[in-house]
């Protein structure tokens, strides 16, 4: 039995890489850490454009244990806690856990910055103004 994909239409050309990315994202994200995505309105007085903010709950992680990168139009946020062997736990209910969370970015999206406050990592993305572009293609005719 063959699987019908969202990009199976013959009118959608060159989207096979996007389909593979979506499949990889569906497998990679396990729900940890929890996150929010919010839209922040433009502030014309401060000359700030509209932006998106991704906020992850990363309690227990230090700035050195977190990494935010952009890899081929994917925002990748990684956390690697270092287990401290010199501690003698009587009970350990908080495990040193690693995570990787990926978000696919549209063309032109830019990471404006990241901040860690009170156990929350916020990553701001600038949403570009969509420019409408029309390009005329010349048709050559052979005689």
């Amino acid at each position: 039995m063959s699987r019908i994909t969202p990009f199976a239409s013959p009118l959608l050309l060159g989207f096979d890489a996007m389909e593979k990315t979506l499949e990889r994202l569906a497998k990679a994200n396990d729900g940890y850490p929890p996150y929010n995505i919010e839209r922040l309105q433009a502030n014309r007085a401060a000359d700030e454009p509209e932006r998106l903010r991704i906020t992850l709950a990363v309690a227990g992680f230090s700035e050195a244990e977190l990494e935010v990168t952009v890899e081929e139009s994917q925002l990748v946020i990684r956390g690697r806690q270092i287990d401290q062997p010199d501690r003698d736990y009587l009970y350990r209910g908080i495990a040193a856990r690693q995570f990787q969370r990926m978000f696919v970015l549209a063309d032109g999206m830019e990471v404006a910055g990241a901040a860690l406050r009170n156990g929350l990592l916020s990553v701001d993305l600038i949403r570009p103004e969509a420019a409408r572009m029309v390009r005329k293609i010349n048709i050559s005719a052979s005689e």
Side-chain angles (χ1 to χ4, degrees):
M1 181 173 153
S2 66
R3 195 178 105 223
I4 298 175
T5 65
F7 299 104
S9 170
L11 301 176
L12 298 172
L13 302 175
F15 285 93
D16 49 332
M18 177 64 77
E19 186 174 16
K20 289 177 185 172
T21 301
L22 291 173
E23 287 175 2
R24 190 171 59 243
L25 283 173
K27 293 176 186 174
N29 290 332
D30 68 352
Y32 177 79
Y35 65 94
N36 292 335
I37 300 175
E38 60 185 310
R39 182 187 325 269
L40 302 175
Q41 297 300 320
N43 184 348
R44 302 291 178 213
D47 198 31
E48 291 178 348
E50 178 182 275
R51 37 190 217 285
L52 299 176
R53 176 171 288 162
I54 301 170
T55 304
L56 287 90
V58 292
F61 285 86
S62 68
E63 182 181 347
E65 296 170 327
L66 296 168
E67 179 182 56
V68 179
T69 58
V70 177
E71 303 171 9
E72 297 181 11
S73 76
Q74 290 185 47
L75 173 64
V76 180
I77 303 170
R78 292 182 180 95
R80 293 182 183 92
Q81 284 185 320
I82 301 164
D83 202 7
Q84 299 173 351
D86 59 337
R87 290 188 171 179
D88 185 21
Y89 292 100
L90 298 177
Y91 172 78
R92 185 161 187 188
I94 303 171
R97 187 169 179 186
Q98 297 184 18
F99 72 87
Q100 176 173 301
R101 180 70 73 190
M102 296 189 307
F103 301 90
V104 177
L105 302 178
D107 288 340
M109 291 290 287
E110 298 175 9
V111 176
L116 179 63
R117 286 187 203 96
N118 300 326
L120 296 174
L121 175 66
S122 297
V123 179
D124 285 354
L125 304 169
I126 297 173
R127 176 173 278 202
E129 293 287 326
R132 184 179 167 143
M133 193 171 98
V134 177
R135 192 178 90 188
K136 183 174 168 117
I137 308 298
N138 292 325
I139 301 171
S140 62
S142 60
E143 293 181 30

